[in-house]
Amino acid sequence: VLSLARVSSMSRRGSPMKVYARWRPINKYDGEGGEFARKTSDTSPASVSVSASDDVAWTSRPAFDTVFDPNDDNVRTYATIVSPTIPEVLQGGSCSFFAYGHSGSGKTHTIIGYDNDNDCGMGLCIAAARHLYDEIRVLNEKGVGPRLSLGFSLFELRKDVAFDLLNGHTKCHIREGPDQKVHIRGQTETLEGGKVRVQPIVKRPCWTFDAFKQELIQALSHRSVGSSSIHDQSSRTHAVLELEIISDALVHARDELVDRQSELVPVGKRATDISIEEQTKGVIRTPEGGWAPNPEYQIDQERIDAAEAVKAEFEARVTAAEEKVNTLLHSPDSPALGGRMVFVDLAGAEYHQEKGAEVQMPKQTPQERQEGRQINTDLLALKEVIRAWSTKQARVPFRSSPLTMVLRDHFEDPNCSAAMIVTVSPAREQYAATLNSLKYASLVGDI
């Protein structure tokens, strides 16, 4: 027997992370074993009780904000989880939504959807974009502040590499900069005049909902799939979609910032090269193998200072460009500008078969097994980050995995809220995977 208590969609006081469970219907991949018994009790907050027999049970502490039945479609799911956060985003806040569960449990159906011309099949991210476009149109009609729209980025993570789905699946690297922020950067280009541009991940402005939907569907076609323990079209990567309220001025200011950073690279390199050259000429090797001042060369400090002065000038231009972006984002004329929603379709969690289990796992290649281990490592790291963030611990282990690194900016936003949707299957053959998913979610929700 498996029991989950239904609760209202109101957040538990003091917990910034909401956790939801969503049962999917039985489908053709579930075999002939049928469903295991389950029921939902009307207690608040929800707890979970799972047992393989009547005399052995696992029971969680209260963890779930709402439990969705198999008959609950994406319309109700959106109305309960995402729609209440729209006002936060329109005030410049940030909201993150994670879909977690084993392969084939309905994560992608929930976040992305499979019939986006039908409200019942529309994914949460597309429904959210449509809602935001409607609200933005009202704001634009009032004529107060700049004309607003939506921009979005979409990338997938495989192991420690990001692939930009808006730029032809371009391979990108995840790096933490001297500003303590995590950057996702693509190929390096050498431009005219010695400028060096590191291509940032694409953020595509879309001025209509139809244009957004077309761009998104095209980008999603580049996402990687592979075989899993459930079916052969499982998402083998984490997909991260960010929606942001933008304006023309914000887009241009960010482009200008990239240009100023590109101009700084050769200037900074020249200043470093001059300093190293002068310092190298200023010393000589001693017979004992050490170093001593070179009596025949006087370090040209004026040359070093001149190069550093030019570097400082270009650094000031970068700072001014950064301040321009920040000024726009904090303008009282448009509090909605910079509001973000992040949807994370997590790769299917992999659970290894225990000895004596009846379900036979398909054979996997060494690469598939390695991918499964990395996926599980990422999911464990995410759980620890969520727990540390929710309890406001001094140290949050963002560096534990590439997944948590790229989400750091969203978790550190003081106006951030978050929710996790654990998707679960009622199929008897997937009982063990469902149990593990519920255990993971209960750990996240039991803060």
Side-chain angles (χ1 to χ4, degrees):
V1 177
L2 185 147
S3 171
L4 295 112
R6 181 184 297 276
V7 298
S8 71
S9 60
M10 294 180 62
S11 172
R12 296 180 304 282
R13 182 175 300 176
S15 175
M17 172 64 75
K18 296 182 180 182
V19 179
Y20 303 87
R22 186 182 189 189
W23 292 102
R24 69 155 172 82
I26 288 289
N27 63 36
K28 64 181 181 180
Y29 297 106
D30 293 328
E32 300 178 355
E35 302 182 36
F36 52 79
R38 65 188 188 280
K39 62 180 180 179
T40 300
S41 60
D42 295 325
T43 59
S44 178
S47 61
V48 179
S49 179
V50 180
S51 65
S53 61
D54 292 337
D55 57 345
V56 180
W58 171 84
T59 303
S60 76
R61 295 181 181 180
F64 297 93
D65 288 87
T66 301
V67 178
F68 297 96
D69 294 329
N71 293 328
D72 290 328
D73 57 21
N74 277 6
V75 173
R76 180 171 186 267
T77 306
Y78 177 81
T80 302
I81 301 174
V82 183
S83 183
T85 68
I86 293 293
E88 299 175 38
V89 179
L90 294 173
Q91 290 298 315
S94 175
C95 301
S96 301
F97 304 92
F98 301 88
Y100 172 86
H102 63 80
S103 297
S105 61
K107 299 182 304 299
T108 301
H109 171 76
T110 298
I111 294 293
I112 306 298
Y114 287 109
D115 184 3
N116 288 303
D117 294 323
N118 183 339
D119 285 359
C120 294
M122 184 175 289
L124 301 188
C125 67
I126 297 182
R130 184 175 66 177
H131 194 163
L132 285 172
Y133 273 107
D134 289 342
E135 296 293 338
I136 287 171
R137 182 172 61 252
V138 173
L139 293 175
N140 287 337
E141 288 173 352
K142 292 180 179 179
V144 178
R147 176 173 174 258
L148 302 175
S149 191
L150 280 185
F152 80 103
S153 62
L154 176 63
F155 61 91
E156 65 177 0
L157 289 171
R158 181 188 288 271
K159 298 180 182 179
D160 59 348
V161 177
F163 295 91
D164 189 350
L165 300 186
L166 282 173
N167 192 20
H169 208 260
T170 300
K171 183 178 179 179
C172 300
H173 299 284
I174 302 166
R175 298 286 186 268
E176 183 175 345
D179 56 359
Q180 303 301 309
K181 293 184 178 180
V182 177
H183 303 275
I184 304 175
R185 299 283 174 81
Q187 298 177 345
T188 300
E189 303 174 84
T190 301
L191 307 178
E192 184 179 353
K195 297 180 184 178
V196 177
R197 179 194 294 270
V198 179
Q199 181 65 44
I201 192 167
V202 172
K203 292 189 176 182
R204 181 75 42 81
C206 295
W207 299 97
T208 66
F209 173 66
D210 288 340
F212 162 79
K213 189 164 69 167
Q214 182 177 353
E215 292 276 4
L216 177 62
I217 292 172
Q218 176 64 29
L220 287 170
S221 67
H222 297 296
R223 192 176 180 193
S224 303
V225 296
S227 62
S228 73
S229 58
I230 305 302
H231 58 85
D232 60 1
Q233 289 296 306
S234 174
S235 299
R236 309 308 296 145
T237 61
H238 311 294
V240 182
L241 167 70
E242 179 186 282
L243 305 176
E244 184 184 25
I245 299 176
I246 60 167
S247 67
D248 268 331
L250 181 60
V251 171
H252 293 321
R254 284 175 171 165
D255 288 344
E256 183 180 346
L257 174 58
V258 172
D259 289 341
R260 299 293 84 77
Q261 291 170 336
S262 300
E263 293 169 351
L264 173 61
V265 171
V267 173
K269 182 179 183 303
R270 182 173 183 274
T272 300
D273 290 345
I274 288 175
S275 178
I276 293 174
E277 179 185 341
E278 290 296 328
Q279 298 295 336
T280 301
K281 291 179 179 179
V283 294
I284 58 173
R285 201 72 143 161
T286 65
E288 294 79 16
W291 296 94
N294 184 356
E296 298 181 358
Y297 186 82
Q298 180 67 35
I299 292 177
D300 190 346
Q301 189 62 45
E302 289 187 4
R303 184 181 178 223
I304 295 175
D305 292 344
E308 289 294 332
V310 175
K311 176 184 173 183
E313 178 184 343
F314 279 79
E315 287 176 335
R317 294 180 184 179
V318 171
T319 300
E322 290 173 338
E323 291 176 351
K324 184 176 181 179
V325 172
N326 289 331
T327 298
L328 289 170
L329 288 173
H330 295 91
S331 170
D333 295 335
S334 186
L337 198 61
R340 297 179 295 175
M341 301 186 98
V342 182
F343 295 88
V344 185
D345 180 12
L346 296 166
E350 293 292 335
Y351 303 107
H352 297 287
Q353 177 182 343
E354 296 182 4
K355 186 177 181 180
E358 297 180 359
V359 181
Q360 296 299 315
M361 302 285 283
K363 292 183 178 180
Q364 292 183 319
T365 66
Q367 179 180 347
E368 289 169 343
R369 288 194 293 271
Q370 184 180 15
E371 287 177 353
R373 287 192 293 269
Q374 181 62 52
I375 289 169
N376 288 342
T377 298
D378 290 340
L379 297 175
L380 176 60
L382 177 62
K383 182 196 71 174
E384 295 305 316
V385 163
I386 290 173
R387 288 179 65 83
W389 171 74
S390 298
T391 55
K392 304 185 186 303
Q393 294 182 18
R395 179 184 176 275
V396 181
F398 292 112
R399 294 189 180 96
S400 298
S401 85
L403 173 64
T404 51
M405 285 183 66
V406 300
L407 296 172
R408 177 174 182 170
D409 182 47
H410 303 288
F411 279 113
E412 291 186 336
D413 189 322
N415 298 316
C416 175
S417 63
M420 174 171 287
I421 309 159
V422 57
T423 53
V424 283
S425 165
R428 187 178 299 275
E429 291 186 358
Q430 296 172 25
Y431 178 85
T434 293
L435 170 60
N436 277 307
S437 294
L438 291 171
K439 285 182 177 180
Y440 181 96
S442 68
L443 288 173
V444 171
D446 182 27
I447 303 297

